[in-house]
Amino acid sequence: RIYYATNFRANDVVRCKHILPLLKESGLSYVFLGTESGCATQLEFYNKQISVDINREAVELLDACGIGVTQGLILFDYRMTVSDLYDNLQYVRSTEGINAGKLYSKLLIYHGTALYNTIKGHSDISDECAPIEMEFEDSTVAKIYSIVSKSLSWGAELYNLIEDLFWDCAFKYHIDFPQELKDLNNHINYRLIDYMENVISFVTT
């Protein structure tokens, strides 16, 4: 028997939902889903051409089929507002497959992309090929990012350990992800989200 993992766009999961049971039967155990954001304005800025509802539906469809899912999110970008950040956290709290240890993930702009072409005249841009991290336009968001990026690295390490255990279960031992690990993952995620919301409250009051 073959077990395998793959990457999907959320809209493709929804469009092909009728074949998800067949994919599960064929051995699909895990999907990395590039949802990118739970904030409508960010999704528009990233030109994802999907909605928050589509992201949510895709996760629910995979979960209903017993297919493991991790969402790839970019919670911070240089032109976002505190309101955008709250939208993201509400999404993170209400959906599955979130690595809350990486709540400090930040947009990287790569040379040659459409977004790079819109900023290449900026004074901070060099000719080097390294990805670009733009400075935050909102000073409050900058303060929030500075705090969480320096204090949540342990959460990412712990979450990655749990994710490694998932891979062991799915591909080495061919067993379902234990409920105890799911519960532990959710408990850690909720505590990290609580912490980030407290940071936002502290910075904005």
Side-chain angles (χ1 to χ4, degrees):
R1 182 166 180 80
I2 297 173
Y3 295 87
Y4 64 97
T6 190
N7 299 342
F8 276 137
R9 281 178 55 92
N11 56 322
D12 288 335
V13 172
V14 174
R15 180 173 58 87
C16 300
K17 58 186 176 183
H18 58 288
I19 66 170
L20 291 180
L22 294 176
L23 292 172
K24 171 67 174 179
E25 184 180 352
S26 73
L28 178 60
S29 299
Y30 177 82
V31 167
F32 182 87
L33 203 60
T35 49
E36 313 306 352
S37 178
C39 170
T41 55
Q42 272 191 313
L43 289 174
E44 183 178 357
F45 177 59
Y46 299 155
N47 195 30
K48 284 292 291 184
Q49 301 180 18
I50 56 176
S51 66
V52 176
D53 288 340
I54 291 291
N55 283 343
R56 196 182 302 278
E57 183 180 359
V59 174
E60 291 172 353
L61 287 168
L62 292 168
D63 187 58
C65 285
I67 299 171
V69 57
T70 289
Q71 298 188 58
L73 296 178
I74 308 171
L75 267 72
F76 285 88
D77 70 71
Y78 66 92
R79 26 70 50 214
M80 74 182 306
T81 66
V82 174
S83 178
D84 294 334
L85 187 53
Y86 270 121
D87 286 347
N88 263 329
L89 289 180
Q90 289 175 5
Y91 176 80
V92 166
R93 190 182 286 279
S94 64
T95 189
E96 298 291 330
I98 298 294
N99 183 343
K102 295 181 179 176
L103 287 176
Y104 53 91
S105 57
K106 185 181 180 183
L107 176 68
L108 297 176
I109 302 174
Y110 288 84
H111 290 240
T113 62
L115 185 54
Y116 172 77
N117 291 333
T118 69
I119 64 164
K120 61 184 179 181
H122 195 278
S123 59
D124 292 339
I125 304 303
S126 70
D127 292 330
E128 297 178 0
C129 292
I132 300 159
E133 291 188 50
M134 297 286 289
E135 295 294 326
F136 290 106
E137 296 176 358
D138 187 316
S139 60
T140 302
V141 174
K143 291 178 183 177
I144 294 168
Y145 180 80
S146 177
I147 294 171
V148 298
S149 64
K150 294 174 182 176
S151 57
L152 286 182
S153 59
W154 67 270
E157 292 174 1
L158 185 55
Y159 184 92
N160 288 338
L161 172 61
I162 296 173
E163 196 166 44
D164 286 343
L165 291 173
F166 169 85
W167 284 92
D168 285 344
C169 291
F171 300 115
K172 290 184 180 179
Y173 306 115
H174 302 162
I175 60 176
D176 290 334
F177 196 56
Q179 186 61 44
E180 291 81 2
L181 287 178
K182 287 184 179 180
D183 292 342
L184 175 60
N185 173 66
N186 288 335
H187 178 76
I188 293 169
N189 276 357
Y190 291 144
R191 297 292 74 77
L192 292 175
I193 296 167
D194 289 342
Y195 169 75
M196 188 161 177
E197 288 178 343
N198 287 335
V199 170
I200 295 172
S201 178
F202 172 77
V203 172
T204 56
T205 57

